[in-house]
Amino acid sequence: MTAPVFVVEHFDAAGAGQYVLDGPEGRHAVSVKRLRPGETVVLTDGAGRWAECEVVAAEGKDRLVVHMTRVGEQPPESPRITVVQALPKGDRGELAVETMTETGVDAIVPWAASRCITQWKGDRGLKALGKWRATAREAGKQSRRVRFPEVADAATSRQVAALLAEADFAAVLHESGEETLATAQLPADGEIVLVVGPEGGVSPEELALFEEAGAKAYRLGPTVLRTSTAGTAAAALLLGRSGRWS
């Protein structure tokens, strides 16, 4: 199995290259993972920097002493894939973030579409956004990523249109699309932005706004997927076609 990943804020090692992993991450390593001397772990800041380490000792319930053997930085992937995810109801938003993170999406933009049943407002919205970001962090660790996806603030339709206008390839998943995403011409690098609508669908007004910004409607396949799974399925297709999964 690949080495477990733990998140740290810095890589400042003490003498002999030793580092102490403590706090919640240290507790998880010692009390949950039950790591022992000689095993390998990876520390990361979630922004691409990482350190491969060998466990030296486990102290108490929440202190793991490791020796850094190798430090590096993973550059950003290209083409970069951003998914604009309409707000699903219930906990399906966290499910979407979790599986898109595991798949390899680079950025997620929560979208307050006009037909969304769920609306993020005030403290409730901040709490929901916090859950999405925490989910991305935990899914990034679980999937052994060292560069976690960015989860942006919730965007309006006009803000999404501005994002689409700057993309090298912009697509809206919609059953009205005459072309499938599997046959779309993709850029070799740059920015790919994909829009996933809500349970009630993307409204005609939003489709027109996004089309004006340069985003074309594409079908994903012969079936209609839930909003919480469509982004993951589409991202997997794009990652395979772009060569990032080669």
Side-chain angles (χ1 to χ4, degrees):
M1 292 180 64
T2 54
V5 173
F6 298 94
V7 181
V8 298
E9 293 183 359
H10 63 83
F11 292 83
D12 300 331
Q18 288 197 351
Y19 187 99
V20 177
L21 182 68
D22 53 13
E25 292 291 87
R27 178 175 294 275
H28 186 71
V30 174
S31 300
V32 179
K33 289 290 188 180
R34 298 185 179 277
L35 296 171
R36 295 293 179 261
E39 295 188 83
T40 302
V41 300
V42 172
L43 307 181
T44 181
D45 60 2
R49 195 171 182 215
W50 56 269
E52 187 176 276
C53 309
E54 181 179 333
V55 176
V56 175
E59 301 175 348
K61 295 182 179 180
D62 61 358
R63 283 173 58 88
L64 191 76
V65 182
V66 301
H67 172 70
M68 290 186 178
T69 57
R70 192 159 57 109
V71 178
E73 185 164 358
Q74 182 187 79
E77 297 280 5
S78 187
R80 174 182 162 92
I81 298 176
T82 296
V83 175
V84 176
Q85 174 66 58
L87 306 179
K89 56 187 177 183
D91 59 0
R92 290 189 174 275
E94 288 98 273
L95 173 63
V97 171
E98 179 180 54
T99 54
M100 286 192 288
T101 298
E102 292 171 356
T103 302
V105 165
D106 301 294
I108 300 167
V109 180
W111 171 37
S114 62
R115 292 179 176 175
C116 282
I117 297 172
T118 299
Q119 294 293 330
W120 287 1
K121 295 180 180 178
D123 291 341
R124 179 183 177 185
L126 292 175
K127 183 178 179 181
L129 178 60
K131 284 184 177 180
W132 280 36
R133 287 174 172 164
T135 299
R137 171 189 163 108
E138 292 307 309
K141 290 168 55 181
Q142 187 278 329
S143 57
R144 310 298 197 260
R145 291 181 62 167
V146 296
R147 186 177 290 276
F148 302 162
E150 302 168 13
V151 179
D153 293 339
T156 64
S157 295
R158 292 206 171 273
Q159 288 171 327
V160 171
L163 185 66
L164 294 169
E166 297 177 354
D168 297 283
F169 175 82
V172 181
L173 292 184
H174 198 269
E175 56 192 3
S176 68
E178 296 180 359
E179 187 179 348
T180 64
L181 195 61
T183 59
Q185 186 173 354
L186 302 178
D189 50 25
E191 183 89 24
I192 293 176
V193 180
L194 180 71
V195 177
V196 178
E199 284 91 345
V202 183
S203 72
E205 294 79 14
E206 288 164 339
L207 274 176
L209 177 65
F210 296 161
E211 184 177 4
E212 185 179 350
K216 185 177 175 181
Y218 290 89
R219 288 178 288 109
L220 185 56
T223 59
V224 177
L225 279 69
R226 283 185 177 272
T227 184
S228 53
T229 55
T232 300
L237 175 63
L238 293 173
L239 286 162
R241 290 198 58 215
S242 66
R244 284 181 51 178
W245 272 10
S246 61

